[in-house]
Amino acid sequence: MIQKAAEILESSKSLFVLTGAGISAESGIPTFRGTDGLWKNYSATDLATPEAFEKNPELVWEWYHWRQGIILKAEPNPAHFAVAELEKKFNNFLLLTQNVDNLHRRAGSKKVLELHGNIFRARCLSCGRIVHHQIEPGKEINNLPKCDCEGLLRPDIVWFGEQIPQDIWQASLEFLSAADTSIICGTSGIVWPAAAIPEMAKKNRAKIIEINLEPTPISSIVDVSILGKAGEILPLIIQTLNTNI
Ligand code: BJW
Ligand code: ZN
């Protein structure tokens, strides 16, 4: 399977990569679904909604600050570095991530678009201003974060039921329509619109390589499905590429 993935990549001219929470799991960042997605008995997917923020902004901010703390202590893992390495090998390359943790950039990725926002940004609900927002590790935050205009800040994150950034989505689709290969890594494949990407790639006759710990709803349409840890599989694919060249 590794060899087949490497062969597909060797015959490709443009590569689209879609990543999800699974690629950051080996950096110690909890994924959304499954038991590690639980925080104080709340499910991550229940907290990532505008309704949860409206009802209890303190709780939702506490969760995002807790996650910031984990992310600030985390390091990119071999899977993030492998994706950055792939970018160097392909002139035509785009990484679309659903993750908000910045780890791809910290690993050296440059051509990266964030579909669901960034955990280190906040947006003012009154004036719309977007600001950098980062906790100081060890320092407790007692008040709700406020903008200079005194408006309430919210995480600059795309929650369920909210529109994804249209410029990022359009740019991704434009690249995808011309890409001959897609790698789909560490995503459950159930959150839309990212979940539609493999089907769109297939319609464009692109080859699809999926890397995940377990089969997903996408697995039935991909050309190569590799079950395993992203941090082990992606470096192995790169090694095989280098050996074949
Ligand atoms: C490993 C591994 C290792 C582990 N190596 N692998 C059409 C049909 C049905 C529903 C909808 C629809 N259109 C819209 C919806 C509603 C909704 C949706 O999709 N709901 C579904 C749950 C059904 N979508 C939306 O609301 C989106 N907006 C939208 O479409 O706007 C238009 C619209 C609005 C209203 C109505 C209709 C249309 C917005 C989605 C925003 C998602 N936001 C979140 C939270 C914010 C980010 C944050 O706080 O960090 O984004 S939810 C959460 O899910 C997060 C993630 O980015 C996203 C995807 O999760 P991901 O990455 O797949 O993670 P997991 O945990 O689910 O899976 C991890 C995977 O990794 C697993 O498969 C593991 O096996 C694997 N893994 N370790 C390799 N080491
Ligand atoms: Zn403001």
Side-chain angles (χ1 to χ4, degrees):
M1 281 300 156
I2 303 274
Q3 182 66 34
K4 190 166 173 207
E7 279 164 17
I8 289 175
L9 288 170
E10 277 157 10
S11 61
S12 305
K13 292 204 158 41
S14 54
L15 176 63
F16 180 90
V17 180
L18 172 70
T19 63
I23 199 164
S24 293
E26 290 158 74
S27 295
I29 299 175
T31 59
F32 288 89
R33 290 160 188 88
T35 47
D36 69 343
L38 287 176
W39 172 77
K40 294 189 179 179
N41 288 331
Y42 294 97
S43 112
T45 46
D46 287 343
L47 291 165
T49 67
E51 292 76 22
F53 190 73
E54 214 166 287
K55 195 169 141 211
N56 196 342
E58 287 86 0
L59 179 78
V60 174
W61 265 123
E62 198 191 333
W63 179 54
Y64 276 98
H65 287 150
W66 170 76
R67 288 176 57 201
Q68 274 198 6
I70 294 176
I71 292 166
L72 286 168
K73 282 196 212 123
E75 295 295 334
N77 69 57
H80 296 107
F81 289 111
V83 173
E85 190 71 26
L86 282 171
E87 179 176 335
K88 290 192 199 134
K89 291 186 185 289
F90 286 84
N91 286 333
N92 293 315
F93 178 94
L94 185 68
L95 164 62
L96 178 65
T97 186
Q98 298 169 84
N99 300 344
V100 299
D101 57 26
N102 255 350
L103 288 183
H104 281 299
R105 284 216 180 80
R106 284 173 58 195
S109 283
K110 301 257 182 312
K111 294 176 182 168
V112 43
L113 296 178
E114 292 165 326
L115 190 63
H116 293 159
N118 187 292
I119 199 164
F120 298 108
R121 287 196 313 258
R123 188 167 81 237
C124 175
L125 287 176
S126 301
C127 72
R129 189 189 310 178
I130 289 176
V131 295
H132 180 73
H133 177 80
Q134 188 171 313
I135 55 158
E136 281 177 48
K139 200 172 159 196
E140 224 172 283
I141 298 178
N142 298 312
N143 301 321
L144 281 172
K146 292 277 175 68
C147 175
D148 288 348
C149 81
E150 288 306 311
L152 178 62
L153 290 172
R154 59 158 278 177
D156 191 25
I157 295 272
V158 183
W159 287 325
F160 282 119
E162 296 187 317
Q163 282 292 348
I164 52 145
Q166 286 308 299
D167 51 343
I168 288 179
W169 185 241
Q170 285 313 323
S172 304
L173 293 194
E174 200 175 307
F175 188 91
L176 189 67
S177 67
D180 41 34
T181 300
S182 290
I183 295 180
I184 315 286
C185 180
T187 177
S188 52
I190 60 170
V191 176
W192 294 78
I197 284 176
E199 197 68 59
M200 290 177 183
K202 193 86 193 160
K203 281 210 179 92
N204 294 332
R205 298 202 177 84
K207 296 273 188 239
I208 309 175
I209 300 164
E210 184 188 37
I211 300 158
N212 199 303
L213 284 183
E214 50 189 50
T216 71
I218 292 164
S219 306
S220 57
I221 66 157
V222 304
D223 297 274
V224 182
S225 162
I226 308 180
L227 299 184
K229 290 185 175 177
E232 292 170 5
I233 303 296
L234 276 168
L236 268 178
I237 293 176
I238 299 220
Q239 244 178 49
T240 311
L241 273 178
N242 290 342
T243 329
N244 287 3
I245 286 167

